[in-house]
Amino acid sequence: MAMVTGTSGRVRVIAAHIFMVAFLALILFPFLMIISISLRPGNFASGSLIPTEISFEHWALALGIPYELPDGRVLQPPFPVLLWLWNSVKVAFWTAFLILVLSTTSAYAFARMHFFGKRTILNSILILQMFPAVLALVAIYAIFETIGHYIPWLGINSHGGLILAYLGGIALHVWTIKGYFDSIPKEIEDAARVDGATPFQTFRYVTLPMAVPILAVVFVLAFVMAIIEYPVASVLMQTTDQLTLAVGSRFYLQEQRYLWGNFAAAAILSGLPITIVFLIAQRWIVSGLTAGGVKG
Amino acid sequence: MNTRASVQPRAGHLFAPNSASRVRRNGAYWLQAWLPKLVLAPSVAAALFFVYGFMLWTFVLSLTNSRMLPSYEFVGFAQYARLLSNDRWLVASTNLVIFGALFIAICLAIGIVLAILLDQRIRHEGAIRTIYLYPMALSFIVTGVAWKWILNPGLGIQQVVRDWGWESFTFDWLVNPDMAVYTLVIAGVWQASGFVMALFLAGLRAVDDSIIKAAQLDGASLPRIYWRVVLPCLRPVLFSAVMILAHIAIKSFDLVVALTGGGPGYASDLPATFMYDFSFSRSQIGMGAASAMMMLAGVLAIIVPYLYSELRSRDRG
């Protein structure tokens, strides 16, 4: 729905462009700044936006390569950034995958099947998701400590436990996917049923292929949320080799010494997996959101 | 799912099952009756366990005098009494109200304006959209640190403007106890407004063209069409956006940690950081749990009536 009709169209389009570009600059500025800091020698935050002198020391350190300074000193990488990145990607991928499986199936049940208490359960999970995990940190810690005594790979300081904790965030996704299923005409499924398909076949071969855009959106959102999540991961992960990058990058910013440059390089690196997933899924995002959203 | 074997789907087409599958049919009907329960069980169990379970446990802890480790020595509502007389808690909850209201309102305003503008046949719309959406993909830690640098009086905007020759320019919100909470709003809006824009853009694209045509034929001006026709159509989107933004506002924890650290002093504390600090740094798990329950109560008091009226009006319409 583009509403550029009428005589004042041209002026409006130009004004809109100017505003857009101005806002674009506002959005981009912090990004450029981070990139600029990551390319400056030393760990100083001050300086001009365009670095006068470019040094790849922070990038080398972030990628785990020792860097030799001009005066002969060798800087060792302070933290295993690549390992943290791998941890992040691993946890985020499994979280997003499991969330997708769980929320798709339950959204289908909510959208298409009739059973007792459907409305109540639906509304209550929407309210439940307003209770953020941050507030339950104490309980999360206590519960995973207990679980860890019986199933070590789901306890504290295990990625299994972290993924399990993230699965609590499915409520929003169930609503999003349900909204999409609601927008698919029931008649299509009836036709399949008349042809003798079982409910599962109808779901698997008729409804699911039509829902790909919204599934992409949910996967991306779940992936992004798991990558950038901080509080739960910071409580559950305890040893250096298990940290995710979002938690680990905090270590660059100790009270006394701020490793701005190293932090900036690690921060850009942490955006990398998200950028890739974003670019792959971006064509579905807007179309998926169109039909998704919370629809009663 | 043994029933799958009887049907060979080919590129989305379905074959009618042959007559030999009658026995399997019975299985299918049984499956149909039980499928909702089977399918929902894992998700509902997860939601129940992770949300109700955590809430309940938090509530139990809030009634005990747990300090460093959870203990089960009940002290009634003493933790709540201590909490309410704690000055820092009052600051934190006031901050949440200020931050939440401004964050949600500004994000919505910017998001709607951007979506409407982007809907005017802008060139390179796809690229612009991606850039606007991108801050959401940064962790709040990164956002917080970047803005900490920009807003730092000695390094960022203030210094730059002074270098330009305007010596008396001051922009010290980050270190000013009265203004520190507004820096959280700035960084939060920067991060989230693009996502709100995507939601509204998607909503705008879904508005039925014929309604707008009708309004145009009736001679309505463009701003009037947007205000009276298009925006009311976006009510479900507004609802989702408010729910998501409120969720972000309540859980804003990492942003505070990275940007202000709750400071100066505890001037920009939010309840989430208060809770974290008391539970994990100060070994006051009981009081931390009590503050979490207070927040839950506050959230329910605000969200539930809105949710209820919104879902109610949709059932009628």
Side-chain angles (χ1 to χ4, degrees):
Chain A
M1 186 202 63
M3 309 228 299
V4 199
T5 46
T7 46
S8 62
R10 247 187 109 70
V11 180
R12 212 172 48 240
V13 169
I14 293 169
H17 272 88
I18 291 171
F19 188 85
M20 289 310 242
V21 171
F23 208 80
L24 214 55
L26 217 59
I27 292 281
L28 280 177
F29 178 68
F31 284 115
L32 295 178
M33 207 196 65
I34 296 173
I35 295 175
S36 148
I37 290 178
S38 81
L39 289 173
R40 264 184 225 149
N43 277 304
F44 309 107
S46 53
S48 61
L49 185 60
I50 299 156
T52 44
E53 175 185 3
I54 286 185
S55 143
F56 291 100
E57 59 178 85
H58 305 304
W59 281 98
L61 293 181
L63 296 172
I65 308 162
Y67 185 84
E68 198 184 331
L69 290 175
D71 59 9
R73 280 185 302 138
V74 176
L75 292 175
Q76 290 298 329
F79 302 111
V81 175
L82 284 183
L83 177 68
W84 289 345
L85 184 65
W86 169 241
N87 288 344
S88 285
V89 171
K90 195 170 69 180
V91 168
F93 176 80
W94 282 109
T95 304
F97 177 76
L98 291 175
I99 281 183
L100 196 62
V101 170
L102 286 180
S103 57
T104 311
T105 45
S106 48
Y108 186 72
F110 280 125
R112 284 293 187 266
M113 296 169 178
H114 302 281
F115 53 92
F116 176 74
K118 183 166 108 169
R119 226 174 154 106
T120 320
I121 301 180
L122 254 179
N123 289 344
S124 65
I125 62 171
L126 190 59
I127 297 172
L128 283 185
Q129 67 100 11
M130 296 308 298
F131 186 77
V134 177
L135 294 187
L137 275 180
V138 180
I140 290 178
Y141 184 83
I143 285 180
F144 279 94
E145 229 222 324
T146 316
I147 293 179
H149 288 310
Y150 303 101
I151 317 168
W153 58 274
L154 281 181
I156 296 274
N157 203 24
S158 73
H159 289 153
L162 188 58
I163 294 169
L164 193 62
Y166 287 162
L167 287 188
I170 58 171
L172 179 70
H173 303 303
V174 171
W175 268 87
T176 315
I177 302 180
K178 178 190 170 282
Y180 196 87
F181 282 154
D182 283 340
S183 71
I184 297 176
K186 220 174 149 63
E187 286 71 25
I188 299 177
E189 292 186 11
D190 289 342
R193 201 160 295 139
V194 168
D195 284 346
T198 64
F200 181 76
Q201 286 165 342
T202 318
F203 171 65
R204 169 69 184 79
Y205 297 112
V206 179
T207 319
L208 211 53
M210 294 175 75
V212 168
I214 198 68
L215 299 186
V217 170
V218 166
F219 186 88
V220 172
L221 285 182
F223 188 85
V224 168
M225 280 175 188
I227 288 241
I228 69 179
E229 205 280 337
Y230 175 79
V232 174
S234 77
V235 167
L236 286 186
M237 300 294 107
Q238 312 212 305
T239 53
T240 312
D241 60 317
Q242 293 289 76
L243 292 180
T244 60
L245 192 48
V247 180
S249 57
R250 267 276 291 162
F251 285 164
Y252 286 112
L253 307 170
Q254 304 297 349
E255 278 306 324
Q256 300 309 323
R257 71 193 229 289
Y258 267 57
L259 302 172
W260 291 99
N262 294 340
F263 173 83
I268 298 171
L269 219 52
S270 77
L272 209 62
I274 298 178
T275 314
I276 294 168
V277 171
F278 241 56
L279 288 180
I280 295 172
Q282 110 104 352
R283 62 201 170 109
W284 287 304
I285 287 185
V286 166
S287 68
L289 286 172
T290 310
V294 180
K295 289 178 184 166
Chain B
M1 299 292 161
N2 58 353
T3 46
R4 249 174 95 183
S6 65
V7 171
Q8 278 95 43
R10 196 182 291 163
H13 293 286
L14 280 159
F15 284 10
N18 52 35
S19 55
S21 66
R22 269 185 67 196
V23 183
R24 285 177 192 143
R25 271 283 181 81
N26 280 333
Y29 285 125
W30 179 84
L31 197 65
Q32 183 145 31
W34 280 92
L35 200 59
K37 283 140 196 144
L38 285 178
V39 157
L40 280 180
S43 311
V44 171
L48 283 182
F49 177 66
F50 286 104
V51 188
Y52 278 130
F54 287 165
M55 263 193 237
L56 207 67
W57 199 320
T58 310
F59 180 63
V60 169
L61 284 176
S62 76
L63 297 178
T64 66
N65 69 345
S66 311
R67 295 182 73 88
M68 208 158 110
L69 291 167
S71 84
Y72 295 96
E73 197 179 310
F74 288 92
V75 291
F77 287 93
Q79 299 283 14
Y80 291 89
R82 279 179 64 202
L83 185 69
L84 289 177
S85 59
N86 186 320
D87 194 38
R88 188 169 165 190
W89 168 253
L90 297 180
V91 172
S93 18
T94 320
N95 279 345
L96 180 64
V97 174
I98 298 173
F99 172 71
L102 283 177
F103 172 71
I104 294 176
I106 299 176
C107 275
L108 284 178
I110 293 182
I112 293 174
V113 169
L114 280 182
I116 289 176
L117 287 177
L118 207 55
D119 203 28
Q120 314 285 328
R121 280 189 203 153
I122 293 282
R123 276 179 201 216
H124 307 299
E125 191 212 298
I128 294 178
R129 212 173 50 203
T130 312
I131 294 174
Y132 282 163
L133 214 53
Y134 199 73
M136 200 195 68
L138 285 182
S139 80
F140 272 115
I141 297 285
V142 175
T143 309
V145 171
W147 281 96
K148 187 191 185 97
W149 185 83
I150 297 173
L151 298 171
N152 187 320
L155 303 168
I157 298 178
Q158 178 176 312
Q159 192 58 38
V160 170
V161 175
R162 283 190 182 176
D163 286 349
W164 285 344
W166 191 1
E167 288 296 334
S168 62
F169 180 82
T170 33
F171 188 71
D172 59 351
W173 287 11
L174 195 61
V175 292
N176 182 339
D178 294 328
M179 304 304 280
V181 66
Y182 298 100
T183 62
L184 299 175
V185 178
I186 297 177
V189 166
W190 179 79
Q191 173 126 0
S193 56
F195 182 63
V196 179
M197 176 221 62
L199 283 176
F200 276 101
L201 187 61
L204 280 177
R205 297 273 151 90
V207 172
D208 194 352
D209 257 346
S210 53
I211 307 177
I212 294 151
K213 291 267 160 55
Q216 276 175 334
L217 283 180
D218 287 345
S221 67
L222 196 70
R224 210 178 153 76
I225 293 179
Y226 269 111
W227 186 246
R228 292 278 179 180
V229 181
V230 178
L231 286 184
C233 287
L234 296 179
R235 209 171 141 182
V237 183
L238 186 72
F239 176 67
S240 325
V242 169
M243 294 305 265
I244 293 172
L245 289 175
H247 185 68
I248 296 178
I250 297 161
K251 71 171 194 182
S252 285
F253 165 79
D254 18 10
L255 184 64
V256 185
V257 168
L259 183 57
T260 65
Y266 48 81
S268 62
D269 240 356
L270 290 184
T273 50
F274 176 91
M275 201 268 333
Y276 190 89
D277 201 31
F278 272 76
S279 308
F280 295 103
S281 310
R282 295 173 173 231
S283 306
Q284 296 275 0
I285 285 188
M287 199 154 147
S291 68
M293 291 318 288
M294 289 295 290
M295 259 183 88
L296 175 66
V299 168
L300 290 183
I302 295 170
I303 294 292
V304 170
Y306 178 52
L307 190 77
Y308 199 70
S309 75
E310 193 67 23
L311 296 175
R312 243 313 183 37
S313 67
R314 251 183 253 170
D315 282 350
R316 267 189 267 116

